[in-house]
Structures are given as C-alpha cells and as structure tokens.
Amino acid sequence: MFLGRVAGTVWSTVKWPEAKGLKLLLVRPYRLGDLPPGATPTRGGGTASEPTDDLVVCADMLDAGPGDDVIVAFGHAARVALSEQLPAGAKPNVPIDAAVVAVVDRVSIEGGEPL
Amino acid sequence: MFLGRVAGTVWSTVKWPEAKGLKLLLVRPYRLGDLPPGATPTRGGGTASEPTDDLVVCADMLDAGPGDDVIVAFGHAARVALSEQLPAGAKPNVPIDAAVVAVVDRVSIEGGEPL
Amino acid sequence: MFLGRVAGTVWSTVKWPEAKGLKLLLVRPYRLGDLPPGATPTRGGGTASEPTDDLVVCADMLDAGPGDDVIVAFGHAARVALSEQLPAGAKPNVPIDAAVVAVVDRVSIEGGEPL
Amino acid sequence: MFLGRVAGTVWSTVKWPEAKGLKLLLVRPYRLGDLPPGATPTRGGGTASEPTDDLVVCADMLDAGPGDDVIVAFGHAARVALSEQLPAGAKPNVPIDAAVVAVVDRVSIEGGEPL
Amino acid sequence: MFLGRVAGTVWSTVKWPEAKGLKLLLVRPYRLGDLPPGATPTRGGGTASEPTDDLVVCADMLDAGPGDDVIVAFGHAARVALSEQLPAGAKPNVPIDAAVVAVVDRVSIEGGEPL
C-alpha cells in the first residue's frame, strides 16, 4: 500500500457493468521527503509538501476527495475492499486493481532527523 | 490502474489460442506534470501534454485507438475485464496481464496549484 | 520482500472492519549502498546509513516500532501473515497488500567490497 | 505486459522438476523513445534503436531467440501460457513468474510526432 | 523473474511458523550493462561487473551463497518453489513473496554489440 494525496477525478463512459458507478480518483504517492517530521495531513488541506509526480488511478468507496490523504491498496486487496461494500450477492470480480482503503487522519514521522 | 494514452499497435503471429484475435495496444502512462489543471483529454486528440516514455502492452476490447486516453488494469483485473466480453464458456485463463478497462472522457485536476 | 526501516505510523478513522485495529506503519526500503559491510542493524538504533526516500504503508502484528529494521512482504503473502495471527475463524480477506513478516536482528553483507 | 528484445540466454543446473527443460531468456524492455514512428521490428534484426538497460528473465516456449522482439507477461498469465503447452496432466504450478506470450511481427507507432 | 547476485544474509528472530528455518538472502539485480558479452557468471566468483544497488529479500532452499548468481521469482511462483521442497502436508501458504528458483551456471549475451 502507499500513502498519497487525491489529485483529481476521472470520468469515463465505457466501463464494465461491475465497475459502473464506481468513482475513479487520481492519487499521487508521497515520498518521505514530502513529509516534515511530525507531519499531520488533514482532510482537504494537508500540511505535507507536494507529493511525487506519479499518478495512480483507483476506485473509491470511502468518499475521499481532492486534497485528502489516503491509503491505496493493489490487486486482490483492492477488490476485497470494494466487494465488502457492494450489495450482497455482487461479485468481487470487478476489473479493478487499486482502491482507497483508508482516509488518513494523521501521519507521525518519528525521530528528530530531517526526514 | 494507470491513466495513459494509446501510442500504437502490436501485431504478432504466434499467440496462444485464448489470446488469438485480441487487439494488443501500446500505452504510455501519464505523469501528473503532463496534465494541466482542468485538463480534458478527449478521444483522438488529448489536450494533455506528452505522457512518459514508458510503454505497456495491453489487450483491448473497448475499441480504443491511437490518441485515446485510457485506464489500464493489471493482473486478475485485466483477465476479468477480458473474460466478461468473451463468448459464454470461454475460459478467463488468458495469458494476458494488462487490459484497457475504460476509455477516458474527462480528467479533472483540482486546485489552482500548477500541477 | 524488501528490507526497510520503520519511519512512522499512520492513523485513519475510516477502515474496513477486517482492517480495524491493525497498526499501519510507514517503512523506508534500504538500498545496498545504505548498508556498510558487516552491517548489523538493531532494534531501535540501526547502524546502517539512511535508507531510500520511498515509502511503503504496511500492516504490522509483530510489534515493530520506529527505527526497527523489518522485512515487508506483499500481496497474498501479506494476508497470510496477518491471517495467521487473527482469531480462529477470521477471514484472510483483509484489504491489505503489505505486512511486516519479520523484525531483523542482523544483516550480513559478505565480501570486502565497498557495498 | 511489455515489449522487449531477447538479449541472451540463462543456463542453470539447479531447478525445480516443473521448470526442468524450460528455456530461460533474458529480455530487455523497450521504451517509447526506442521505437521510431512506423517502426517494424523483425525477427533477428529489429529496426528499432536499443531498448533499455533493464533485464527480465522469462521462460520461453515459442522458440524465440536473441534479437527477436517479444511480448512478456507476468504472474498467473505467464503460468497459464506455459501450462497450455505442457503435456496434458502437467501442473500449472511452475515456479515461474514471467513468460514470452507472443513473438512480435510488427509494431505501429501512430502519429507524426517524433516518438 | 530477475537475474541477481547474492549479496548477504538476513537473520530475524520473529517469524511466522511457516517461515521458520527458511534462509533469507539479500539479492542485487543485474542490469544489462553489468554483463559483458559472453559473460559467464560462476558460483562464488562471478565475472560480471557489479550489479545494481537495489536489494530484494528472498527465501532460499537451493543452498545459494554470497557471490552466487541466482534467478529470483515473485509471488505465487515463489511459494510454489518453496512448497515443493517442504515436507509433505506442509502448507504452501508461507508469508513469503520472493524465492531463489535457480542457481545460474552461465549467461550468454548474444551479438557483438557492447552490452
């Protein structure tokens, strides 16, 4: 999993039935240098510096929005996360390989080293 | 998953039966710096700047073409995407690990920051 | 798997039931240049130089803490590690794709080359 | 999957029974800059410029050789590819995570841009 | 899979029962530039130049040691490799995602190009 900030939203018309209605977000991963010691990202206005330039597209069912700091998981873990909130009987076989699994409240970087 | 632009097509004569007839595309992933705030890629003529130099080969059953912006998924998600449009009874065990799962209509990058 | 040092902790309020209560750590992977020949990282005060700037979020059930050197596994291996210490009957289907699988006592770099 | 050129061969004496007899190749991934517009790699003498410096080891059952341009798949897809040509009854549980799934005839890079 | 050289050993006291007794090695991946044309790495004294600075931790049941050139597989392939040499009845569900699957005898880089 990685820690990242929501940078935007993707809209698409052609999707598989299982993925229909899923919100797709663009998330930028943080690197350690982006996080000052004691950093405390908060919803909608993180105190951390800018994250990296990479972009991951992931599904979101936790109502995350631009500026939020989130944790993103890949592969089977992402499909488990999505299937647990789908209506009973829905198949976990969504064609999705990344999903937001947590919205971050606080990040603690330990030690006095200049991280 | 990642957001990328279709850059080309690959032809091959030797393929496994399950993969026969599948269109294989070359897709270049975007980085955040490639997308201006409010960027709105469109079919066949994206407004975004040039994506990265990486190349991913993926199967496509959504009729995407060069210049289209697409979302590509890996692994099991890719095989799910492909099997859902195969004739009933066809095995999902295609030797494919990447597939186009959506053709992008619009990408919204939030905030006024120079992304 | 990779060898890394625990750099911090992540708190989040919104998580899936299966992941509730799991401690989430930020871990920085080491590169070879970070480890002097004969390096012997120890709990809470590694002798190795600073690891890389990458950040991986992983679950921890081994009571690792900041400064510890750990081994992190991905995917199915991570869920196996977590499920083996969950109460009997708990599902291994946690939406987690990375976990601490060992706390490192000692790393031996062989040869006299300047690694 | 990725597009790469076969750069060499690996021999090893110690292998699992399931992997015995499998040819192992070294493949170098291409980046987009390596492929001129309209590039047409051919067996044994690609027209593309040199691919990247990365190296992937993969199993090959398609009789690819040094200089050939191939498509390589990872994980389950690789084992599916290998198992489909193994004698009936052979287990797909080979300890292999990458395999050649196609030998490339032609690559078409669209657009007049200097790719 | 990748080709790498064993650089060291990791000891840890806290491990899951399934992983107990497994030797854990640090392996450095090679890049193509590290291998001279016709390179022939040998056990305990490779002729190739220095591999990259990356480090992968993997389990080893093939008695590889520092200086050996090995092939490492990830994910399910690694667990298959490990389970095939475990006592009958042992579960393949080890919390391990990388393992040595072959000790390399010889690597052949084709062509006269300066690889």
Side-chain angles (χ1 to χ4, degrees):
Chain A
M1 298 169 288
F2 72 87
L3 173 68
R5 187 183 295 180
V6 180
T9 310
V10 182
W11 283 270
S12 61
T13 44
V14 187
K15 275 191 276 189
W16 272 266
E18 279 79 359
K20 199 154 276 179
L22 277 180
K23 185 173 58 169
L24 295 179
L25 298 176
L26 285 165
V27 178
R28 307 163 72 185
Y30 281 104
R31 286 178 169 267
L32 194 49
D34 304 321
L35 301 171
T40 305
T42 53
R43 287 215 171 204
T47 61
S49 60
E50 286 308 297
T52 69
D53 202 34
D54 291 321
L55 273 183
V56 173
V57 176
C58 62
D60 171 46
M61 299 182 71
L62 293 182
D63 204 23
D68 283 346
D69 290 315
V70 296
I71 295 175
V72 175
F74 292 101
H76 180 71
R79 289 182 292 275
V80 166
L82 295 174
S83 66
E84 288 178 341
Q85 297 203 345
L86 289 175
K91 288 187 301 180
N93 265 346
V94 282
I96 293 291
D97 68 7
V100 174
V101 294
V103 179
V104 173
D105 289 321
R106 190 160 66 89
V107 174
S108 165
I109 301 293
E110 310 282 337
E113 318 147 314
L115 303 178
Chain B
M1 297 169 289
F2 72 87
L3 173 68
R5 187 182 295 179
V6 180
T9 310
V10 182
W11 283 271
S12 62
T13 45
V14 187
K15 274 193 276 189
W16 271 266
E18 279 79 358
K20 199 154 278 179
L22 276 181
K23 185 173 58 169
L24 295 180
L25 298 176
L26 285 165
V27 178
R28 306 162 72 186
Y30 281 104
R31 287 178 168 267
L32 195 48
D34 303 321
L35 300 171
T40 305
T42 54
R43 286 215 172 203
T47 61
S49 59
E50 285 308 299
T52 68
D53 202 33
D54 291 321
L55 273 183
V56 173
V57 176
C58 61
D60 171 46
M61 300 182 72
L62 293 182
D63 205 24
D68 283 345
D69 289 317
V70 296
I71 295 175
V72 175
F74 292 101
H76 180 71
R79 289 182 292 275
V80 166
L82 295 174
S83 66
E84 288 178 342
Q85 297 203 345
L86 288 175
K91 287 186 303 180
N93 264 346
V94 283
I96 293 291
D97 68 7
V100 174
V101 295
V103 178
V104 173
D105 289 321
R106 191 160 65 88
V107 174
S108 164
I109 301 293
E110 310 282 335
E113 318 147 316
L115 302 180
Chain C
M1 297 168 290
F2 71 87
L3 173 67
R5 187 182 295 179
V6 180
T9 311
V10 181
W11 284 270
S12 62
T13 43
V14 186
K15 274 191 277 190
W16 270 266
E18 278 79 359
K20 199 154 276 179
L22 276 181
K23 184 172 58 169
L24 295 180
L25 297 177
L26 286 165
V27 177
R28 308 162 72 184
Y30 281 103
R31 285 177 170 270
L32 194 49
D34 303 321
L35 301 172
T40 305
T42 53
R43 287 215 171 203
T47 61
S49 60
E50 286 308 298
T52 68
D53 202 35
D54 290 321
L55 273 183
V56 173
V57 176
C58 62
D60 171 47
M61 299 182 71
L62 293 182
D63 204 24
D68 283 345
D69 289 316
V70 295
I71 295 176
V72 175
F74 292 101
H76 180 72
R79 288 183 292 276
V80 166
L82 295 175
S83 66
E84 287 179 342
Q85 297 204 344
L86 289 175
K91 287 187 302 181
N93 264 346
V94 282
I96 294 291
D97 69 7
V100 174
V101 294
V103 179
V104 173
D105 288 323
R106 190 160 66 90
V107 174
S108 163
I109 301 293
E110 310 282 336
E113 318 146 314
L115 303 179
Chain D
M1 296 169 289
F2 72 88
L3 173 68
R5 187 181 296 179
V6 180
T9 310
V10 182
W11 283 271
S12 61
T13 44
V14 187
K15 274 192 274 190
W16 271 266
E18 278 78 359
K20 199 154 279 181
L22 277 180
K23 186 173 56 168
L24 295 180
L25 298 176
L26 286 165
V27 178
R28 306 162 71 186
Y30 281 104
R31 286 176 168 269
L32 195 48
D34 304 320
L35 301 171
T40 306
T42 55
R43 286 214 170 203
T47 61
S49 59
E50 286 307 299
T52 68
D53 202 34
D54 290 321
L55 273 183
V56 173
V57 176
C58 62
D60 171 46
M61 299 182 71
L62 293 181
D63 204 24
D68 282 346
D69 289 316
V70 295
I71 296 175
V72 175
F74 292 101
H76 181 72
R79 288 182 293 274
V80 166
L82 294 175
S83 65
E84 288 179 340
Q85 296 203 345
L86 289 175
K91 287 186 301 179
N93 264 346
V94 283
I96 293 291
D97 68 7
V100 174
V101 295
V103 179
V104 173
D105 289 321
R106 191 160 66 88
V107 174
S108 164
I109 301 293
E110 311 281 336
E113 317 148 317
L115 302 181
Chain E
M1 296 168 291
F2 71 88
L3 174 67
R5 186 182 296 178
V6 180
T9 310
V10 182
W11 283 271
S12 61
T13 44
V14 187
K15 274 193 274 189
W16 271 266
E18 278 79 359
K20 200 154 276 179
L22 277 180
K23 185 173 57 169
L24 296 179
L25 297 176
L26 285 165
V27 178
R28 307 162 72 184
Y30 281 104
R31 286 177 169 269
L32 195 48
D34 303 321
L35 300 172
T40 305
T42 53
R43 287 215 170 202
T47 62
S49 59
E50 287 307 299
T52 67
D53 202 34
D54 290 321
L55 272 184
V56 173
V57 177
C58 62
D60 171 47
M61 299 182 71
L62 293 182
D63 204 24
D68 282 346
D69 289 317
V70 295
I71 296 176
V72 175
F74 292 101
H76 181 71
R79 288 182 292 275
V80 166
L82 294 175
S83 66
E84 287 179 341
Q85 297 204 346
L86 289 176
K91 287 186 301 180
N93 264 345
V94 282
I96 294 291
D97 68 8
V100 174
V101 295
V103 179
V104 174
D105 288 322
R106 190 160 67 89
V107 174
S108 164
I109 301 293
E110 311 281 337
E113 317 146 316
L115 302 180

